[in-house]
Amino acid sequence: MTKPRLSRRRLLRGAVAGGAALAAGGLLGGCTARQDARRLATDDRWRQFAGTTLNFISENTAPTAAIAADLAPFTELTGIRVNIVTLELSALVQKVALDLASGQAQYQVIYADPYQVLAPYSKGLVDLRELAADPTLPGEVADFADFVPVQLDATGRFGTEDKVFALPYDSPTMIWQYRADLFDKHHDRMAADLGFDPTPGDDTTWEQYLAIARWFNDNTDDVRYGTGHQAKQHDSLMCDFSNVLWAHGGDYFANGFEVGRIGAVEPGRCLLAEDRAIEAAAFYQRLLSVADPASRTWDWDGLGAAFRAGRIAMCPNWHEYAANNEAVLPGRVGYARLPRGPRRSANIFGGTGIGISANTLPNERGAAWLFVNWATARDVQLRNLQSEAGGGTPTRTSVYELPEVRAAEQRPSAMPNMLTAGAVRQAWKPENAGLRPKIPMWNECDTAIYTQLSRMLVGDATPEEAMRETAERIDRITARGWVAAG
């Protein structure tokens, strides 16, 4: 049986922190006089910064766990040593903000969360196209086309298409995960009772999803509830609701896809008080009324654990939980794009890129580029996918075209995350992608959204009241952001 692989969010907390990466050497001192890395006279473009030490600060994620366990090939290739420091995201954001403001570069390579690092601090990051265009360094701008387009935009750009501040590093995407064995077992009864084919497919709607969930509640003891959700008063609640919001044709701001794809300092008036958003909130309230009541205590980890424990028949969750699903429920889980709403299917993308601090000195910057280039290279992404230390899902299209990766999309699979490939390919199409607003003040907006949704779910606010209050709060938050940016 395939060993369990560590999945996307927080399951790796503490697994890498201070571990193998720090064994390569302590962090560079912040109080000493700054000296640039030494550049060697050599024809080997990968060895010109041999002897340099870099510091990479990252959230605790599957790709970083795999990279930390696989640093030896990079050091052998380049002669560069890399210290990896992993933190919970909010702590990472604080350290990155302080480091960028200091004018120093204690951390040369940065896990640039699109909403908490890239959007507010893009001016503190290097335009990677400049390094890719440097003939003295490996890599080239044309190679950026190998990244999944929506991922390169969402994780790498801010304010303009003319610059790339980070390369796509991980790609968690929310999809429909369901007990295929139970759907098969009850298929005929469900179809007869519901009046439609319950098998998850491109035409399945959210209303049908709700009906399926209710059917499991009322007609079988195989699971306690038909569906579960990550509806804790937390970022996870915003993510879970956003799929429904977009599917109903609602959005946070006008031209929402572009605000998510490229980003904006001034996104305009919040649209949550409009009819489509209120309709989405009302449907979400109905959906949660038939879901496992414990949903209001779960983030993505709690939801994933409940699904693996056989408590629920289906759920929307990040696709990289497939590895854990297959370890506990081998061959019994199916994966599909999320259902359609009145307007479309929407599948929230939660990926992040890695970039380089603009405080780096010239040679240090070149060394950092070697690492960023290597860490997102095709061969490294393939090794990460196969890694027993974790590993994420590739962000390069060429990896998905490799024969061994194609083969892993079917069971038995040595790369269980690839069992979701059909679903995520659909989810990454622009018409199906869900991109939250990439704006400098998003963290505060996120808090406003999940706070009001929580009030709605416990009955302290109607859907209309929750959406209107959220819109008013977001407008106040973004107005402050525009003033600060100006």
Side-chain angles (χ1 to χ4, degrees):
M1 184 175 71
T2 303
K3 291 184 180 179
R5 285 180 169 81
L6 301 175
S7 62
R8 164 65 182 159
R9 297 274 185 179
R10 309 306 192 276
L11 293 180
L12 297 167
R13 182 171 292 143
V16 182
L22 288 180
L27 290 176
L28 299 177
C31 298
T32 57
R34 294 192 71 196
Q35 291 187 340
D36 198 359
R38 191 164 60 103
R39 192 168 196 165
L40 306 179
T42 174
D43 292 332
D44 186 343
R45 294 187 298 171
W46 285 99
R47 299 287 303 180
Q48 57 190 306
F49 304 110
T52 300
T53 297
L54 297 173
N55 297 318
F56 171 31
I57 186 168
S58 174
E59 187 187 2
N60 307 311
T61 65
T64 298
I67 289 287
D70 192 36
L71 281 173
F74 177 73
T75 300
E76 292 169 5
L77 175 68
T78 65
I80 297 171
R81 301 164 68 190
V82 180
N83 301 323
I84 301 180
V85 177
T86 60
L87 300 170
E88 190 273 333
L89 183 58
S90 60
L92 176 146
V93 172
Q94 291 176 354
K95 284 190 175 292
V96 168
L98 290 171
D99 197 41
L100 294 177
S102 74
Q104 305 293 310
Q106 181 178 10
Y107 306 105
Q108 295 88 1
V109 181
I110 296 170
Y111 180 89
D113 178 85
Y115 314 100
Q116 299 191 51
V117 174
L118 176 58
Y121 306 120
S122 62
K123 293 180 180 178
L125 301 173
V126 172
D127 179 4
L128 299 181
R129 297 181 321 144
E130 297 176 1
L131 296 170
D134 185 340
T136 69
L137 299 172
E140 55 185 43
V141 174
D143 187 49
F144 290 6
D146 188 31
F147 292 104
V148 177
V150 73
Q151 296 181 22
L152 181 64
D153 290 342
T155 67
R157 305 186 195 276
F158 184 74
T160 175
E161 297 198 46
D162 295 334
K163 295 183 179 181
V164 175
F165 296 107
L167 296 185
Y169 182 65
D170 62 4
S171 59
T173 303
M174 208 174 282
I175 59 171
W176 186 352
Q177 305 182 25
Y178 62 97
R179 286 288 300 275
D181 57 337
L182 299 184
F183 273 68
D184 289 343
K185 175 181 177 180
H186 300 294
H187 177 274
D188 292 347
R189 282 184 60 204
M190 291 170 69
D193 291 347
L194 295 171
F196 60 85
D197 185 350
T199 306
D202 289 348
D203 294 326
T204 308
T205 68
W206 273 112
E207 288 287 355
Q208 291 173 331
Y209 181 100
L210 187 152
I212 293 168
R214 188 180 285 117
W215 190 92
F216 273 102
N217 290 354
D218 297 340
N219 293 281
T220 176
D221 294 327
D222 290 314
V223 290
R224 293 176 63 180
Y225 294 94
T227 186
H229 293 265
Q230 45 190 272
K232 180 179 179 179
Q233 187 171 330
H234 178 272
D235 176 63
S236 59
L237 175 52
M238 178 279 300
C239 293
D240 197 53
F241 169 70
S242 292
N243 298 312
V244 172
L245 172 69
W246 295 320
H248 279 73
D251 214 327
Y252 294 105
F253 300 101
N255 202 21
F257 184 76
E258 287 303 299
V259 175
R261 188 177 76 89
I262 300 298
V265 173
E266 298 185 24
R269 181 177 62 88
C270 180
L271 303 183
L272 288 181
E274 296 194 349
D275 289 346
R276 289 178 183 174
I278 294 170
E279 290 168 8
F283 173 81
Y284 190 71
Q285 185 182 54
R286 283 199 294 127
L287 179 61
L288 267 291
S289 73
V290 305
D292 191 321
S295 295
R296 293 194 295 272
T297 70
W298 292 337
D299 61 7
W300 35 72
D301 284 345
L303 177 60
F307 181 74
R308 293 191 299 277
R311 182 171 173 135
I312 55 179
M314 60 184 182
C315 63
N317 208 349
W318 303 107
H319 82 278
E320 290 181 347
Y321 279 94
N324 294 75
N325 293 343
E326 297 302 316
V328 178
L329 299 167
R332 289 185 278 171
V333 180
Y335 305 96
R337 192 192 71 188
L338 287 176
R340 299 183 60 83
R343 300 292 172 175
R344 67 181 181 114
S345 169
N347 306 256
I348 192 168
F349 173 71
T352 293
I354 54 173
I356 298 172
S357 170
N359 290 336
T360 51
L361 296 171
N363 294 343
E364 191 176 52
R365 184 173 300 189
W369 166 248
L370 297 189
F371 178 72
V372 169
N373 191 16
W374 175 85
T376 59
R378 187 188 73 170
D379 291 347
V380 174
Q381 291 197 358
L382 176 60
R383 291 205 303 274
N384 288 355
L385 185 60
Q386 299 167 322
S387 175
E388 294 296 336
T393 305
T395 59
R396 287 183 176 272
T397 58
S398 61
V399 181
Y400 294 91
E401 296 166 0
L402 296 172
E404 61 267 43
V405 176
R406 287 274 188 189
E409 294 181 18
Q410 306 297 323
R411 294 183 177 94
S413 177
M415 309 173 195
N417 280 344
M418 290 310 302
L419 296 173
T420 69
V424 295
R425 282 196 190 96
Q426 289 292 318
W428 292 336
K429 291 181 178 180
E431 63 268 26
N432 299 325
L435 301 178
R436 73 198 83 175
K438 191 163 48 175
I439 61 175
M441 306 293 282
W442 176 248
N443 202 33
E444 287 188 65
C445 296
D446 184 6
T447 301
I449 294 162
Y450 65 67
T451 298
Q452 293 304 312
L453 285 171
S454 290
R455 291 184 63 237
M456 181 187 77
L457 293 178
V458 299
D460 288 345
T462 66
E464 182 174 1
E465 290 168 344
M467 291 297 96
R468 291 190 184 281
E469 177 62 24
T470 305
E472 290 175 6
R473 291 192 181 194
I474 288 177
D475 283 341
R476 292 196 294 270
I477 291 166
T478 55
R480 288 203 319 273
W482 303 340
V483 172

